[in-house]
Amino acid sequence: MGSFQLEDFAAGWIGGAASVLVGHPLDTVKAECRGNEGTTAVVQVRDDGGQDQGGMVVETRLQAGVGYRNTLSCIRMVYKKESVFGFFKGMSFPLASIAVYNAVVFGVFSNTQRFLSQHRCRDLEASPSSTLSDLLLASMVAGVVSVGLGGPVDLIKIRLQMQTQSFRGANLHLKPRAVALGEQPVYHGPVHCMATIVRNEGLLGLYRGASAMLLRDVPGYCLYFIPYVFLNEWITPEACAGPSPCAVWLAGGLAGAISWGTATPMDVVKSRLQADGVYFSKYKGVLDCISQSYQQEGLKVFFRGITVNAVRGFPMSAAMFLGYELSLQAIRGDHTATDP
């Protein structure tokens, strides 16, 4: 069989949809926690957004003076104010887009890994095992591609998620007109959000925070795919033809927790850059964002939401890899790989 296979893209799409359904509620909690810790400081954080003028959701909520003591307090507050539906706010766009995003990421990773392994062995008919260098390079390629596709998705998702609380212009020291605008939601849906960003900032506005996202996703995917592959091999007995669904679920979950936990510092920076710009712009770039954040809040600010990140990463990635592997086997008509 040739090195390029479309099945990986289709299976990645299914896995992506499964991960959104499982992880979006925790993603919303993570965004709320980041946007509301440290109410006395002028903070601009959010977990996925855009770059120059867009959705300063986190900073808006911090400056509004509404704070959460911890993750549990955040969950209670969201439920009290917005009911169960508050946890799924803004999910329609990620459900439609992240499925496509993951289809490309998984397709690119799998085909790149396969190409490298076959090129190394120079035997297209064989099924050579991947080396660490193959996995590392394939993960890096997937990380770069993910920024091109995922930047706009993250930006729109963050800005939609962070519009639920009232805006208090007094804390922002804005003019009356800006305060009046801040009293109403800036965006009325994903399409309107995208159109507004393009109109105000141009197409490049959809890639606000792309440099920080590269610094997060390239190493992040290395710590995502590589642990998954090796954990799968370690958990699966040698007598088995392939990993069982339980092994896939466990390896995928652990890989997700590792990846998201270690990516948290740069995720915070990326989120702040992406959220910056709806009402005013504060950061000049990645280094400026890191410097201002550290000066105002200390080192701990870069680890906000790390617990939620790791906890969210396990079920999301477990669902992702399980959906990917099972659907890939179904597409190929191969059911032996999951036999215990």
Side-chain angles (χ1 to χ4, degrees), residues 242-278:
S244 67
C246 289
V248 171
W249 179 84
L250 182 58
L254 291 174
I258 293 170
S259 177
W260 273 106
T262 55
T264 296
M266 193 52 61
D267 190 40
V268 170
V269 175
K270 177 197 73 72
S271 299
R272 294 191 171 200
L273 286 171
Q274 289 178 325
D276 190 27
V278 172

Side-chain angles (χ1 to χ4, degrees), residues 18-338:
S19 72
V20 173
L21 292 173
V22 171
H24 192 80
L26 278 175
D27 192 38
T28 299
V29 172
K30 179 183 67 169
E32 295 278 347
C33 288
R34 289 213 183 147
N36 292 278
E37 290 180 359
T39 59
T40 59
V42 179
V43 180
Q44 24 317 116
V45 181
R46 236 311 306 174
D47 180 53
D48 304 303
Q51 189 183 338
D52 246 340
Q53 291 177 359
M56 198 74 206
V57 183
V58 168
E59 181 166 28
T60 298
R61 298 199 176 189
L62 286 168
Q63 293 174 326
V66 181
Y68 300 132
R69 294 187 302 274
N70 50 46
T71 301
L72 183 58
S73 173
C74 177
I75 293 174
R76 289 174 176 172
M77 186 70 73
V78 173
Y79 179 78
K80 180 179 179 180
K81 291 187 174 182
E82 305 174 54
S83 76
V84 175
F85 298 104
F87 296 103
F88 294 93
K89 186 177 183 64
M91 191 182 73
S92 60
F93 184 74
L95 187 60
S97 57
I98 290 180
V100 176
Y101 164 81
N102 280 285
V104 175
V105 169
F106 271 72
V108 168
F109 169 79
S110 298
N111 282 283
T112 302
Q113 174 196 1
R114 190 178 302 109
F115 170 79
L116 292 172
S117 299
Q118 293 174 344
H119 180 72
R120 174 169 46 81
C121 293
R122 298 186 182 280
D123 183 1
L124 294 178
E125 296 302 322
S127 297
S129 60
S130 296
T131 63
L132 179 60
S133 61
D134 294 339
L135 295 172
L136 183 64
L137 185 55
S139 299
M140 294 174 67
V141 172
V144 173
V145 171
S146 74
V147 175
L149 291 175
V153 175
D154 280 353
L155 174 62
I156 293 171
K157 180 179 67 173
I158 283 183
R159 298 192 176 185
L160 291 176
Q161 281 181 325
M162 300 300 292
Q163 294 191 108
T164 59
Q165 292 185 347
S166 61
F167 174 83
R168 299 181 183 179
N171 289 340
L172 293 175
H173 307 290
L174 299 177
K175 297 179 180 180
R177 181 176 178 273
V179 175
L181 290 174
E183 294 294 341
Q184 299 178 356
V186 179
Y187 310 114
H188 305 297
V191 176
H192 179 259
C193 179
M194 179 182 294
T196 301
I197 294 170
V198 173
R199 182 173 63 252
N200 294 337
E201 308 170 52
L203 288 175
L204 290 179
L206 294 173
Y207 289 92
R208 181 185 291 270
S211 55
M213 195 172 182
L214 273 173
L215 293 173
R216 183 199 71 171
D217 283 3
V218 172
Y221 275 114
C222 291
L223 293 173
Y224 188 63
F225 287 114
I226 295 176
Y228 170 74
V229 171
F230 285 109
L231 284 170
N232 245 339
E233 293 179 353
W234 180 65
I235 296 173
T236 303
E238 293 183 3
C240 295
S244 67
C246 289
V248 171
W249 179 84
L250 182 58
L254 291 174
I258 293 170
S259 177
W260 273 106
T262 55
T264 296
M266 193 52 61
D267 190 40
V268 170
V269 175
K270 177 197 73 72
S271 299
R272 294 191 171 200
L273 286 171
Q274 289 178 325
D276 190 27
V278 172
Y279 300 106
F280 64 93
S281 296
K282 178 167 185 172
Y283 302 123
K284 298 177 182 179
V286 174
L287 293 179
D288 183 53
C289 179
I290 294 174
S291 176
Q292 289 194 46
S293 299
Y294 177 75
Q295 290 176 6
Q296 295 172 3
E297 303 167 73
L299 188 62
K300 65 180 181 180
V301 68
F302 299 107
F303 297 92
R304 280 186 178 172
I306 187 171
T307 301
V308 178
N309 261 344
V311 171
R312 181 196 72 149
F314 190 99
M316 280 190 69
S317 296
M320 174 88 71
F321 280 105
L322 188 59
Y324 171 79
E325 296 287 3
L326 293 180
S327 58
L328 188 63
Q329 292 163 22
I331 293 171
R332 293 175 176 174
D334 177 15
H335 302 284
T336 61
T338 58

